[in-house]
Amino acid sequence: MSIRLGDIAPDFTAATTEGTINFHEWLGNSWGMLFSHPADYTPVCTTELGRTAQLKSEFDKRNVKVLAVSVDGLESHKGWVKDINETQHTTVNFPIIADEDRNVANLYDMIHPNANDTLTVRSVFVIGPDKKVKLTLTYPASTGRNFQELLRVIDSLQLTANYSVATPADWKDGDDTVVSPSIKTADIPAKFPKGFTEIKPYLRLTPQPNK
Ligand code: BEZ
């Protein structure tokens, strides 16, 4: 059964490179990003996990805990982490689930049999502090994800959660945002003291509220 936006992220207990984790407990009040990789000792995955480690401070700034998953075992993960650290000039600083029994992969529908019977695809789930799924994304094994894009989406999700704004096409941090359609134009000045521009009654822009 696939996971849809707004669903409660399935909970699980799993062995990881940083000890056993109960997912919901481990998340606490943080946001979370659970992301899968096809296999250890593969080239694209090596660059992705390295990039994630390099961006740790950016995830921390946004109060996002990252958790990787692949279907290989703990000893394999530990050996591979040494290679990631060496080749990507970083130190892996987040847990990697050893999902040998594919419990997490199956809970999150990360194995797409028509792509590959056994390996996980590149799935991403961003989870809010309410444990609800805010974003899902699926890439094939051959395409490494854009981690700047993941941070950009997290920024957008957090703006929506905190300020009742949406973000337009190609929005970047600092650009104007879109006032949520649920807010009446008459109520905008009180809610958005930085002002607004009404392009159409349904298209109202306001400066990014947290800048
Ligand atoms: C990789 O991570 O490099 C990879 C894994 C499976 C298939 C293709 C590429």
Side-chain angles (χ1 to χ4, degrees):
M1 168 77 173
S2 63
I3 294 173
R4 296 176 176 174
L5 302 188
D7 290 356
I8 295 289
D11 197 15
F12 56 81
T13 298
T16 82
T17 49
E18 296 188 4
T20 300
I21 281 179
N22 171 264
F23 189 45
H24 283 195
E25 202 178 293
W26 177 80
L27 284 172
N29 294 321
S30 300
W31 289 68
M33 187 178 88
L34 176 70
F35 63 129
S36 59
H37 298 86
D40 293 0
Y41 296 103
T42 49
V44 177
C45 298
T46 299
T47 62
E48 286 197 323
L49 291 197
R51 191 75 191 110
T52 307
Q54 290 162 1
L55 290 170
K56 172 85 162 69
S57 64
E58 294 296 321
F59 287 105
D60 285 349
K61 229 194 271 178
R62 292 161 175 82
N63 192 28
V64 178
K65 289 185 168 178
V66 296
L67 181 55
V69 53
S70 94
V71 296
D72 292 308
L74 220 42
E75 287 315 306
S76 166
H77 285 355
K78 286 180 179 166
W80 182 39
V81 161
K82 288 186 193 148
D83 280 7
I84 298 169
N85 292 345
E86 176 196 329
T87 62
Q88 307 305 304
H89 313 291
T90 189
T91 302
V92 171
N93 42 26
F94 53 86
I96 308 172
I97 296 172
D99 194 34
E100 285 181 289
D101 63 2
R102 294 164 172 63
N103 178 45
V104 176
N106 288 330
L107 271 177
Y108 282 81
D109 198 24
M110 290 165 165
I111 295 175
H112 296 197
N114 291 327
N116 188 296
D117 279 356
T118 52
L119 303 180
T120 50
V121 292
R122 296 187 195 282
S123 301
V124 182
F125 296 87
V126 176
I127 294 144
D130 57 2
K131 310 290 182 291
K132 290 186 179 170
V133 174
K134 308 296 180 187
L135 170 97
T136 67
L137 190 146
T138 307
Y139 274 37
S142 52
T143 305
R145 286 157 285 200
N146 182 327
F147 286 80
Q148 292 299 339
E149 168 62 5
L150 293 176
L151 291 170
R152 189 193 75 92
V153 175
I154 289 166
D155 285 342
S156 171
L157 293 170
Q158 294 188 341
L159 279 173
T160 300
N162 297 329
Y163 299 99
S164 305
V165 293
T167 56
D170 294 338
W171 173 85
K172 301 181 302 309
D173 189 43
D175 288 351
D176 282 353
T177 60
V178 169
V179 177
S180 167
S182 63
I183 295 174
K184 292 191 184 115
T185 298
D187 296 336
I188 294 179
K191 258 186 111 58
F192 298 99
K194 292 183 177 172
F196 74 105
T197 308
E198 183 178 279
I199 295 169
K200 289 281 182 190
Y202 58 85
L203 175 55
R204 294 92 36 100
L205 300 181
T206 190
Q208 185 172 327
N210 63 346
K211 283 282 165 183

